[in-house]
Amino acid sequence: MNIKILNQIATQMVTESKGILAMDESHGTCKKRFDALNIEATEENRRLYRDMLVTAESLSSYISGAILFDETIKQKTSQNLSFPDYLKKIGILPGIKVDTGAKPFSCHSNEKITEGLDNLPQRMEGYKSLGAKFAKWRAVITIGDDIPSTACMIANSHALARYASICQEVDIVPIVEPEVLMDGPHNIQECFDVTNKMQSILFEELDKLDISLSGIILKPNMITSGSDCKIKSSSEEIAELTVRCLGNNVPIEVPGIAFLSGGQSDTEASINLNNINKLNDNPWKVTFSYGRALQLEAMKKWNGNNHNNLDAQKIISKRAHMNSLASSGQYNLSMEND
Ligand code: 5MM
């Protein structure tokens, strides 16, 4: 493990107001998104769609890294370069999702544990030889009747720490993603309480396994009310509680925090990130690692037809630009009309 290399990569992932493009949908998630638009979920369509994303004009002005799926890291772009080689050529760091998904958690109804530790050291070496500079592992925490259990939070945090250790051993920066889902009728205070506890347990587990905090990126949810909650929180309240939660838990050694969007609309995700950055006076950089909030409108425009590439690319470039502005507190809604 080389702490200097890890810190250099992690710092590069969050500097210059750039963020991370999460394009690591598993086959199931990608099929769900394609099905909604009547796009056939074939290997070639997934390649064409992701090729359209990464070849969007000016992407590297706003995006520092792209998280790939196992299939994509082995595919070639339209320029006949592998996805990692193409990304490297345009100045974007290639990353890889290495978890194998959230599965039912034994003896705990309605809760999940993320799997993928089996053979991970060997898989990680393979991804490294394909060009990966960082990795991602997502834990899923659900708020509901009597859940999440402390056991679920401990088990997922321990798995995140084991994954982070395996990454750091070979100088791959782990993105550590403890996602408290937005699904459900819970209010913003419940989201705060659960996220605060999860982040607290997570940093305890990372510490127990001697993870070098200067060589990780945290990918958390923002503190919001649940998607079925009747009381909708203001962006200012979301920002205030999110910064408070991070301030309670994230050590100053962590170079950066890159949020997931979690089901927020594209503009909500930009406004909230902007307000968080206006409030944040902690040393870590605060940016985005969005999937849906960067991609969904571009996917709709693409619609499975490469004749739509340029129009779809304008949308992904614009979202990347807007979120880059938000990651330095310079965004406002009126820019959407420019
Ligand atoms: C892009 O979606 C990622 C992969 O999800 P699955 O393993 O379920 O297919 C997902 O982990 C994503 O990186 C994060 O949830 C952030 O995406 P959103 O859409 O929440 O910004």
Side-chain angles (χ1 to χ4, degrees):
M1 175 173 89
N2 185 326
I3 293 173
K4 205 168 151 202
I5 293 178
L6 287 166
N7 180 249
Q8 271 167 1
I9 298 169
T11 304
Q12 199 182 332
M13 288 165 71
V14 291
T15 42
E16 297 175 19
S17 304
K18 292 186 187 181
I20 296 159
L21 169 60
M23 46 181 284
D24 58 314
E25 296 84 0
S26 54
H27 289 337
T29 304
C30 191
K31 182 167 165 31
K32 197 162 83 184
R33 309 252 190 275
F34 277 10
D35 281 354
L37 299 169
N38 284 320
I39 302 167
E40 207 187 340
T42 61
E43 180 173 348
E44 180 60 0
N45 275 346
R46 289 190 292 268
R47 190 191 69 77
L48 288 169
Y49 170 67
R50 288 163 169 159
D51 182 56
M52 179 281 290
L53 290 178
V54 299
T55 55
E57 202 187 337
S58 308
L59 199 67
S60 60
S61 305
Y62 316 118
I63 296 290
S64 58
I67 314 170
L68 306 174
F69 183 60
D70 177 75
E71 175 183 82
T72 323
I73 200 168
K74 297 165 186 162
Q75 286 175 323
K76 287 194 168 171
T77 65
S78 48
Q79 301 199 352
N80 207 29
L81 289 172
S82 71
F83 271 81
D85 284 350
Y86 173 76
L87 290 168
K88 213 165 104 190
K89 186 178 136 202
I90 62 169
I92 293 180
L93 294 166
I96 179 74
K97 181 239 289 298
V98 300
D99 67 68
T100 54
K103 309 282 161 59
F105 181 37
S106 49
C107 303
H108 292 80
S109 316
N110 304 320
E111 294 197 277
K112 292 190 165 162
I113 176 76
T114 300
E115 293 187 351
L117 289 170
D118 287 353
N119 301 321
L120 188 56
Q122 292 84 341
R123 287 199 290 127
M124 200 68 81
E125 287 286 3
Y127 291 136
K128 188 176 164 132
S129 69
L130 291 170
K133 298 289 180 198
F134 66 93
K136 192 200 86 174
W137 178 291
R138 171 173 170 254
V140 177
I141 303 297
T142 308
I143 301 180
D145 292 340
D146 299 324
I147 58 171
S149 63
T150 303
C152 181
M153 291 193 261
I154 292 174
N156 273 292
S157 296
H158 181 71
L160 278 163
R162 289 268 288 113
Y163 140 82
S165 169
I166 292 166
C167 288
Q168 291 195 333
E169 164 122 309
V170 291
D171 300 332
I172 287 190
V173 168
I175 293 185
V176 174
E177 181 178 2
E179 177 173 6
V180 177
L181 293 179
M182 213 199 263
D183 305 356
H186 54 272
N187 63 34
I188 193 166
Q189 187 59 45
E190 290 171 276
C191 178
F192 177 90
D193 293 342
V194 170
T195 307
N196 197 45
K197 181 168 174 180
M198 178 62 191
Q199 289 182 7
S200 164
I201 292 173
L202 171 65
F203 281 100
E204 271 172 37
E205 293 297 318
L206 294 174
D207 183 53
K208 283 184 199 158
L209 294 204
D210 300 327
I211 301 306
S212 168
L213 295 181
S214 65
I216 71 163
I217 298 294
L218 178 69
K219 177 166 172 169
N221 51 288
M222 294 179 192
I223 307 296
T224 65
S225 47
S227 44
D228 300 326
C229 179
K230 294 204 172 68
I231 307 158
K232 197 155 165 32
S233 313
S234 69
S235 180
E236 286 71 22
E237 191 182 4
I238 289 171
E240 206 248 303
L241 289 178
T242 301
V243 172
R244 195 192 305 166
C245 181
L246 296 171
N248 286 348
N249 297 299
V250 186
I252 57 170
E253 293 90 336
V254 174
I257 292 166
F259 285 104
L260 59 94
S261 59
Q264 298 178 44
S265 75
D266 49 6
T267 50
E268 273 170 353
S270 301
I271 294 166
N272 291 337
L273 179 61
N274 193 65
N275 282 328
I276 288 168
N277 269 295
K278 287 210 291 202
L279 270 190
N280 178 40
D281 57 6
N282 294 284
W284 2 268
K285 298 274 186 211
V286 177
T287 186
F288 59 96
S289 173
Y290 295 159
R292 286 164 286 180
L294 279 172
Q295 291 187 46
L296 271 194
E297 290 305 312
M299 187 187 285
K300 279 187 203 159
K301 181 60 81 177
W302 178 68
N303 202 26
N305 183 344
N306 278 6
H307 290 119
N308 299 328
N309 273 13
L310 279 180
D311 288 336
Q313 287 175 325
K314 277 188 198 146
I315 297 174
I316 180 81
S317 294
K318 178 165 181 177
R319 291 272 36 97
H321 186 192
M322 295 295 106
N323 286 306
S324 170
L325 290 168
S327 69
S328 54
Q330 315 255 319
Y331 167 83
N332 70 65
L333 206 47
S334 67
M335 292 169 173
E336 297 292 343
N337 306 319
D338 294 346

